[in-house]
Amino acid sequence: MGASVAQSQTQAAVQVTAAPAKTPITADVFVKNLTAEVMATVRQDKAIQSGDLRRVVSLVDGKILPYVNFQRMTASAVGRHWRQATPDQQKRLQAEFKGLLIYTYAGAVAQIRDQQIEVRPLRARPDDTDVVVRTLVRGKGDPIQLDYRMEKLGDGWKIYDVNVLGVWLADTSFKSQFSPIAANQGIDALISNLVDLNKKAAAGGK
């Protein structure tokens, strides 16, 4: 009996040691870990390196998109017209923007070779829940600015915009492209436009 109790106590101690309480990580550490994981996967996957679009899309969908706030990103891209959309239209817009993001990220991921990501010091207080994580992609040629607008939801971080070379994807690039369509032709026309763009991207731009 005594041996059994001692064994149980030992097992419990091992379990506690093997599964310590998780400490919340800062946004910059989150980005560093995520990018390192994605780049390691790319470098180990010969199909991705050879340009297999389906493999790249699968990687983006599985590794990156779970950490994106689609509703906030879509609302930012559509602008003030987002509030005029019906719940069904908002749902369809999010679905199509998700597709657009998949192919946008896929294009960037497919270019990964020997680059290194430098995460810049975070300019934020420890209790901030809305921050910008600034990074530089270093490889051949000049470094590429790649920044992330992030918000903390519960215990996790979500990306809601990406800045490439000084241009924010949702709030500037997408908004300038898609908000006028919603304003001049309506939400359904914008959804149709996004559907067409995603079909072309799925076909390799043909």
Side-chain angles (χ1 to χ4, degrees):
M1 180 69 70
S4 178
V5 171
Q7 184 178 14
S8 297
Q9 291 175 336
T10 301
Q11 290 175 344
V14 170
Q15 289 173 353
V16 170
T17 303
K22 290 185 177 180
T23 302
I25 64 173
T26 57
D28 56 335
V29 172
F30 172 85
V31 168
K32 183 177 181 179
N33 293 345
L34 179 60
T35 53
E37 182 179 356
V38 170
M39 294 181 76
T41 301
V42 171
R43 288 166 180 159
Q44 294 169 8
D45 194 315
K46 299 300 183 183
I48 291 177
Q49 294 176 26
S50 66
D52 187 327
L53 180 60
R54 287 187 296 180
R55 294 285 289 179
V56 178
V57 167
S58 178
L59 170 64
V60 172
D61 196 25
K63 296 284 189 182
I64 299 175
L65 296 195
Y67 305 107
V68 175
N69 184 337
F70 290 109
Q71 179 172 335
R72 184 165 180 176
M73 183 171 272
T74 304
S76 179
V78 177
R80 61 185 177 85
H81 311 287
W82 171 258
R83 295 188 297 274
Q84 301 167 5
T86 66
D88 180 65
Q89 287 174 324
Q90 289 182 349
K91 182 178 179 180
R92 291 162 62 197
L93 281 169
Q94 285 187 68
E96 295 305 326
F97 265 103
K98 179 179 180 179
L100 187 62
L101 281 170
I102 286 176
Y103 292 113
T104 300
Y105 278 118
V109 168
Q111 302 302 314
I112 293 176
R113 293 297 181 269
D114 299 319
Q115 297 91 335
Q116 299 295 324
I117 305 295
E118 176 186 342
V119 179
R120 312 291 285 176
L122 185 63
R123 302 173 185 173
R125 297 184 298 270
D127 58 344
D128 283 346
T129 57
D130 198 309
V131 302
V132 175
V133 176
R134 306 177 190 279
T135 77
L136 288 176
V137 182
R138 297 189 181 277
K140 295 180 179 179
D142 295 331
I144 298 173
Q145 176 186 352
L146 186 62
D147 304 332
Y148 302 87
R149 280 179 175 155
M150 305 185 67
E151 63 178 344
K152 192 173 186 181
L153 299 174
D155 291 331
W157 290 97
K158 293 279 189 177
I159 300 165
Y160 67 89
D161 209 348
V162 180
N163 180 343
V164 182
L165 296 174
V167 178
W168 288 103
L169 187 62
D171 195 44
T172 303
S173 180
F174 282 175
K175 181 180 286 186
S176 66
Q177 183 178 357
F178 300 122
S179 185
I181 297 175
N184 298 323
Q185 302 176 46
I187 296 296
D188 284 336
L190 173 56
I191 293 171
S192 296
N193 183 275
L194 290 167
V195 169
D196 290 342
L197 286 174
N198 285 328
K199 285 181 179 178
K200 290 179 181 178
K206 297 179 182 179

